[in-house]
Amino acid sequence: MRLGMKHFIRSRQLHGWLAVLLLALTISGCGSEGNRTADSKSTSDMTLVIGSYSVAKDAVEEILPLFAEKWKAETGHTITFQQSYEASGTQARAIAGGFEADVTLLAMEGDVDKLVDAGLVKPSWKERGEGGMVTRSIVVIGTREGNPKGIKNFADLTKPGIKVLYPNPKTSGGAQWDINAIYGAGLKQSEEKEGVKDPAAAKSFLTSVHANVESLDKSGRASMAAFEYGVGDVIVTYENELLARIAQGVKYEVVIPKDTILIENPAAVVDKYADKHGTREAAEAFVNFLLTPEAQEIFAKHGFRPVDQEVYEANKSRFPVPQGLFDISYLGGWDKVRSTLYSKRGVWYQVLAGI
């Protein structure tokens, strides 16, 4: 009996230990499954890094939560954003230099081309949507309330005593659009007078305007901020910068020159970094979302000219088309503009040097 009882006790102890071990294994298994689920969720939830030019900041910040909501509804996963806003040229150089943005919105095609040259963006980026562009605008002149200086055109910016603002084209894509507009207006004027484009006359015209420039700020947004602080009589800037502020109640006047340039602003997936981060699907979805009517309406709200034709038609009363509107092709395209205007011996640097 005593041996039998000991055997029974040992048997119960053995079964007890087996039960504990089985329970531990079961809990461990459940824990592993839970961890796998958490790990799976954490790899599905992601952060998308956005590197944008500063002028687009207000519109982009309004678009991001709408995209996050759409992404959540379609995938069941949460997406968050890391955002950087700089002058377009500065942003492009930062990305080329190692800032690992998944998506970039820049002021001009040439800045995306820098990322193509750096091996970060595929040359096919322009195949998306409207040639890779997500917004348009035009270069205009902003004045104080009531236009006290009586500004009507770029030629008025050459008058003595007119204090002009535009940013530095070395750092700002917006500034390059401004310079392109003024130089192109000079070409248009020479063409009307002489029947042919006269680059020397256009350079002289740009020189006369630049002689009245009060300061060269880092970005279009910084230049606009200086104007808001009371610097200058007029500002050469994107139409959308002024329209957005007027909508907020700021008392500015928008002067649309007869001859000015059509601005086109691109967005692109930064392929190398998106692939590295495993965010390609989300990055492509976001760039595509920028072209949807929903996002285009937000761009229009912030003063950009939509690239979506239906959204543009619904808003076109806000966006007059100037008589002499031209695009970058009038200046020979971006390659020629870069060599003619912004190379080390280009027109812009001759203007700066006074030669």
Side-chain angles (χ1 to χ4, degrees), residues 25-96:
L25 289 171
T26 302
I27 293 172
S28 175
C30 290
S32 296
E33 185 64 33
N35 288 339
R36 281 196 296 271
T37 302
D39 289 344
S40 175
K41 185 177 188 301
S42 67
T43 55
S44 297
D45 293 349
M46 68 179 69
T47 297
L48 199 64
V49 183
I50 310 293
S52 174
Y53 70 113
S54 58
V55 170
K57 182 176 187 289
D58 295 338
V60 171
E61 287 187 334
E62 189 170 339
I63 289 169
L64 289 177
L66 298 180
F67 175 72
E69 183 180 345
K70 183 175 186 290
W71 182 259
K72 179 78 170 179
E74 292 181 354
T75 68
H77 302 302
T78 299
I79 189 166
T80 55
F81 304 97
Q82 178 184 331
Q83 304 165 59
S84 168
Y85 299 93
E86 293 284 353
S88 185
T90 302
Q91 188 69 268
R93 284 191 293 274
I95 295 170

Side-chain angles (χ1 to χ4, degrees), residues 22 29 49 80-81 122 133 143 168 185 233 244 290:
L22 181 61
V49 183
T80 55
F81 304 97
K122 294 178 181 177
M133 305 302 157
T143 78
N168 188 343
D233 300 313
L290 296 175

Side-chain angles (χ1 to χ4, degrees), residues 112-153:
V112 181
D113 287 341
K114 294 174 186 175
L115 303 183
V116 174
D117 293 341
L120 301 175
V121 173
K122 294 178 181 177
S124 59
W125 71 271
K126 287 191 283 188
E127 295 175 5
R128 189 188 307 271
E130 296 292 319
M133 305 302 157
V134 294
T135 56
R136 296 189 178 107
S137 190
I138 60 174
V139 173
V140 299
I141 303 166
T143 78
R144 306 295 176 187
E145 183 179 8
N147 192 2
K149 300 293 183 179
I151 303 299
K152 297 179 181 178
N153 222 319

Side-chain angles (χ1 to χ4, degrees), residues 15-337:
H15 280 88
W17 283 112
L18 286 172
V20 170
L21 179 61
L22 181 61
L23 179 61
L25 289 171
T26 302
I27 293 172
S28 175
C30 290
S32 296
E33 185 64 33
N35 288 339
R36 281 196 296 271
T37 302
D39 289 344
S40 175
K41 185 177 188 301
S42 67
T43 55
S44 297
D45 293 349
M46 68 179 69
T47 297
L48 199 64
V49 183
I50 310 293
S52 174
Y53 70 113
S54 58
V55 170
K57 182 176 187 289
D58 295 338
V60 171
E61 287 187 334
E62 189 170 339
I63 289 169
L64 289 177
L66 298 180
F67 175 72
E69 183 180 345
K70 183 175 186 290
W71 182 259
K72 179 78 170 179
E74 292 181 354
T75 68
H77 302 302
T78 299
I79 189 166
T80 55
F81 304 97
Q82 178 184 331
Q83 304 165 59
S84 168
Y85 299 93
E86 293 284 353
S88 185
T90 302
Q91 188 69 268
R93 284 191 293 274
I95 295 170
F99 169 52
E100 296 188 0
D102 300 303
V103 172
T104 187
L105 293 85
L106 296 171
M108 58 186 188
E109 178 181 326
D111 283 338
V112 181
D113 287 341
K114 294 174 186 175
L115 303 183
V116 174
D117 293 341
L120 301 175
V121 173
K122 294 178 181 177
S124 59
W125 71 271
K126 287 191 283 188
E127 295 175 5
R128 189 188 307 271
E130 296 292 319
M133 305 302 157
V134 294
T135 56
R136 296 189 178 107
S137 190
I138 60 174
V139 173
V140 299
I141 303 166
T143 78
R144 306 295 176 187
E145 183 179 8
N147 192 2
K149 300 293 183 179
I151 303 299
K152 297 179 181 178
N153 222 319
F154 285 130
D156 292 327
L157 306 188
T158 67
K159 294 178 179 178
I162 302 295
K163 297 177 181 178
V164 180
L165 290 184
Y166 52 64
N168 188 343
K170 184 176 181 180
T171 56
S172 168
Q176 289 194 24
W177 283 117
D178 298 339
I179 301 304
N180 295 347
I182 296 168
Y183 181 80
L187 286 178
K188 284 272 189 178
Q189 291 172 23
S190 68
E191 196 171 22
E192 288 175 6
K193 292 177 182 177
E194 304 167 18
V196 293
K197 298 176 186 175
D198 183 351
K203 175 188 171 184
S204 177
F205 183 65
L206 175 59
T207 300
S208 297
V209 173
H210 187 69
N212 284 339
V213 168
E214 187 86 343
S215 67
L216 289 174
D217 292 293
K218 178 182 178 181
S219 68
R221 182 53 58 91
S223 188
M224 196 72 230
F227 192 61
E228 290 174 345
Y229 292 143
V231 179
D233 300 313
V234 300
I235 183 169
V236 181
T237 189
Y238 285 25
E239 175 187 48
N240 53 277
E241 283 282 73
L242 292 169
L243 292 181
R245 282 159 178 76
I246 291 170
Q248 295 167 1
V250 182
K251 304 296 184 181
Y252 293 145
E253 306 288 340
V254 179
V255 176
I256 299 179
K258 179 175 74 73
D259 300 317
T260 191
I261 197 165
L262 177 69
I263 295 168
E264 296 182 291
N265 311 120
V269 175
V270 186
D271 297 284
K272 183 175 181 178
Y273 295 146
D275 288 338
K276 177 181 178 180
H277 302 156
T279 58
R280 169 170 290 281
E281 183 181 358
E284 290 187 346
F286 178 67
V287 174
N288 288 335
F289 185 74
L290 296 175
L291 295 166
T292 63
E294 187 176 13
Q296 289 286 298
E297 284 286 0
I298 291 173
F299 280 126
K301 170 186 169 183
H302 288 274
F304 290 94
R305 298 186 175 214
V307 297
D308 181 277
Q309 192 59 35
E310 289 186 8
V311 178
Y312 174 76
E313 288 295 328
N315 290 274
K316 69 178 182 180
S317 62
R318 299 172 53 208
F319 302 120
V321 179
Q323 179 183 341
L325 183 66
F326 57 92
D327 62 20
I328 198 68
S329 65
Y330 179 75
L331 303 180
W334 275 112
D335 286 342
K336 184 173 181 180
V337 166

